[in-house]
Amino acid sequence: MEAPNYIFVGLITVLFGVVRYFFKDLHNKFIESEKKSEEMHDKVVKLEGRVERLDEKMPSEIANLERIMELKFEQFNGKFEELTKAIRHAERTMTSQAEAFVKLLQEVKK
């Protein structure tokens, strides 16, 4: 009768060995998963920091762009006013020259 007990004890020992192997493998995978989770957490924290810095930078950059656009618009208005004045001056000059030419033609006809 002792032989079946040894067989039974041997089978239980083998069974515990197999269960231990699977629990050890499960534990190792859990540890790896935990490490990957920590790495992902670190990456997320870094990315959140970058996003926060960008959020802080964006309003100032937008304000700078708005100011640049205002300055460019003011420059454009100034150039447009100069061009308008030059066109009006050319128009007046051409009108006076045309009037002078008409007077000259009228005098020549007389």
Side-chain angles (χ1 to χ4, degrees):
M1 270 184 117
E2 289 188 30
N5 285 339
Y6 286 118
I7 293 173
F8 184 68
V9 169
L11 286 174
I12 290 178
T13 304
V14 169
L15 181 65
F16 278 125
V18 170
V19 170
R20 179 179 168 266
Y21 170 78
F22 285 114
F23 275 121
K24 186 174 182 179
D25 186 50
L26 182 66
H27 181 261
N28 288 338
K29 287 182 180 179
F30 177 76
I31 296 296
E32 286 177 28
S33 173
E34 221 174 34
K35 287 179 184 177
K36 288 180 182 177
S37 175
E38 287 176 9
E39 289 172 3
M40 291 298 288
H41 178 71
D42 292 342
K43 288 179 182 178
V44 167
V45 168
K46 287 178 184 177
L47 289 174
E48 285 176 347
R50 287 181 183 173
V51 168
E52 287 175 4
R53 286 193 303 271
L54 284 175
D55 285 345
E56 291 170 358
K57 277 177 90 174
M58 289 303 285
S60 65
E61 288 182 5
I62 289 173
N64 288 340
L65 288 174
E66 287 175 346
R67 183 66 185 139
I68 290 170
M69 291 299 294
E70 288 174 14
L71 291 173
K72 292 292 184 183
F73 188 69
E74 288 173 7
Q75 286 177 347
F76 175 77
N77 282 339
K79 296 291 182 183
F80 187 75
E81 287 176 12
E82 289 176 18
L83 182 61
T84 304
K85 287 178 185 176
I87 291 172
R88 286 186 183 148
H89 177 70
E91 181 184 15
R92 283 192 302 268
T93 304
M94 290 175 72
T95 303
S96 66
Q97 287 178 356
E99 289 173 358
F101 184 70
V102 169
K103 285 182 185 179
L104 183 65
L105 284 176
Q106 287 174 351
E107 286 180 15
V108 170
K109 282 185 180 180
K110 288 184 183 181

